[in-house]
Amino acid sequence: MTIRACAVVALLVSAAAACSSERAPDEPLPPLNPRATSLHAGFGTMDRLVDTARKEGVLNVVGLPRTWVGYGEIIDRFSDKYGIKVVSLAPEAGSRQEIDLAKQKQGGADAPDVFDLSMDVAVANAASFAPYKVKGWADVPDDLKDNKGRWYAAYGGYMSIGYDPRKIPAPASYGALQRPGALVALPGDPLRVASAFSGVMAASISGGRADAARGVDLFARLKKAGMLGQPDRATAVVDWDYMNAARAAVAKNGDATWRVTIPKDAVLASYYVQAVSARAPHPAAARLWEEFLLSDEGQNLYLKAFARPARMEAMEMRGSLDGDAAEKLPPATGTPVVLTIPEQDQAKAYLKAHWAQSVG
């Protein structure tokens, strides 16, 4: 089932889900449980969750650069709205580093309360997370969440080509990057950087299927032709659309010095997921953070930063999506391809065996 189809199905069942998760007017409030698996079960009302989180007073986040998908504004909005101090640990940490840091700080008041992770890392470490289903749970597509509530997507994007229109015309495909005068870049080493790996895999899509060998072959040919370089000097960068779109938005003096395109029928989608630490030192604040990120307000803040909210389809159908922000997203044509964990593992094994000798 595609992302769009899943979202529509989720919307159709959300009304029934809401009926079962909302407290009836005459229903007694449950005992407070900051480690509850849902708002209804542990707090009864959002006000009680907010009050409990405020008493904790602190939220520890990890791996959230302020320039990444609007997290600077998201953190400030959450802190101002609820009066909770947000402590940002290791902002530049990758997903695996987040998990490693949590293990190092386990049991301390400065341990991470919540995580923002690539899906493969979340799946591999699901036992470390506390189940918690936010109010908007039903709107998150089934293939983007753990059925026990241990992790769930909050935002994502499509792989894209950012390019300088003064140097090269809009590439109609990844293969079209092979042209005189082009200098192409990935956002890092695909053996270590998730976005770079995804760039190789996007370039490998043909007929709706990804094949790591095709992606490695393209970048090997670019390297051989002297057309593979670093992002700060490149005329084209293969990266997530929200990163390329953010770069285009800050073009100086209004000049169109950077544009974004998503090649037709080569749409690779990937989502980052949220999780609450099973040993969160501030369990109520952690759950309030997840409620905020998956709320209409939080989802629209991601959208404002060019990321695609996990609840986007449902919000659009309900009329709660920021339409102006949505119109600024790079258009995409074709059914998005989302790599399964086994597909990712197989592709990573191929790159490990062939990238260094083919591309270096």
Side-chain angles (χ1 to χ4, degrees):
M1 185 178 291
T2 65
I3 293 175
R4 178 177 294 272
C6 286
V8 171
V9 171
L11 179 59
L12 293 176
V13 302
S14 62
C19 290
S20 64
S21 63
E22 292 181 0
R23 188 178 64 88
D26 58 348
E27 182 181 352
L29 290 171
L32 281 176
N33 179 9
R35 298 188 180 276
T37 58
S38 71
L39 176 69
H40 173 67
F43 303 94
T45 67
M46 181 62 76
D47 287 343
R48 291 182 90 200
L49 171 57
V50 172
D51 288 343
T52 308
R54 281 176 173 162
K55 290 176 182 177
E56 292 176 349
V58 176
L59 173 74
N60 297 334
V61 301
V62 60
L64 302 184
R66 291 182 63 84
T67 55
W68 176 264
V69 295
Y71 265 125
E73 183 174 0
I74 290 171
I75 288 171
D76 292 345
R77 185 77 67 88
F78 175 84
S79 183
D80 292 343
K81 182 171 185 174
Y82 298 115
I84 294 171
K85 179 182 178 181
V86 178
V87 178
S88 184
L89 307 169
E92 302 298 329
S95 296
R96 289 182 177 83
Q97 292 171 315
E98 292 182 39
I99 300 299
D100 291 342
L101 183 65
K103 292 178 180 177
Q104 294 170 14
K105 294 181 174 291
Q106 182 174 319
D110 60 344
D113 290 302
V114 290
F115 301 97
D116 180 284
L117 305 163
S118 59
M119 193 177 295
D120 59 330
V121 174
V123 171
N125 293 276
S128 300
F129 310 140
Y132 184 77
K133 296 183 178 182
V134 296
K135 290 175 63 179
W137 174 259
D139 292 342
V140 180
D142 289 343
D143 55 352
L144 299 180
K145 64 188 178 186
D146 170 62
N147 60 9
K148 295 181 180 179
R150 293 172 296 183
W151 54 263
Y152 31 88
Y155 67 91
Y158 299 155
M159 192 51 59
S160 68
I161 301 172
Y163 65 98
D164 186 339
R166 301 167 301 177
K167 305 291 180 61
I168 61 172
S173 67
Y174 287 99
L177 291 170
Q178 301 176 86
R179 59 177 303 112
L183 184 61
V184 183
L186 289 165
D189 181 349
L191 298 178
R192 297 178 176 84
V193 179
S195 54
F197 165 77
S198 295
V200 175
M201 296 310 296
S204 80
I205 294 175
S206 178
R209 298 188 65 179
D211 181 350
R214 281 195 295 263
V216 171
D217 179 65
L218 172 62
F219 284 97
R221 282 183 275 126
L222 289 170
K223 179 64 179 291
K224 185 176 181 179
M227 299 169 62
L228 196 60
Q230 297 300 315
D232 58 344
R233 296 183 179 182
T235 56
V237 177
V238 179
D239 201 351
W240 293 118
D241 57 349
Y242 47 81
M243 298 301 291
N244 273 322
R247 181 175 178 179
V250 297
K252 294 182 179 179
N253 302 320
D255 295 333
T257 58
W258 201 252
R259 291 179 181 169
V260 189
T261 185
I262 299 172
K264 182 180 180 181
D265 297 325
V267 185
L268 181 71
S270 183
Y271 285 74
Y272 277 83
V273 304
Q274 304 299 310
V276 173
S277 173
R279 298 178 176 83
H282 312 102
R287 286 156 175 77
L288 180 60
W289 171 255
E290 304 300 358
E291 293 286 0
F292 179 73
L293 294 184
L294 273 294
S295 69
D296 288 353
E297 181 179 3
Q299 294 281 278
N300 278 323
L301 286 173
Y302 283 129
L303 183 59
K304 182 181 176 182
F306 306 105
R308 298 173 190 265
R311 295 181 52 240
M312 185 170 181
E313 297 289 349
M315 289 171 61
E316 185 175 20
M317 294 181 71
R318 292 195 184 101
S320 59
L321 191 74
D322 184 338
D324 291 339
E327 288 181 0
K328 296 177 182 177
L329 293 177
T333 303
T335 301
V337 173
V338 180
L339 299 178
T340 65
I341 301 301
E343 288 172 337
Q344 290 183 50
D345 291 343
Q346 183 178 7
K348 288 175 181 177
Y350 184 88
L351 262 67
K352 185 176 181 179
H354 297 278
W355 181 263
Q357 66 184 52
S358 299
V359 184

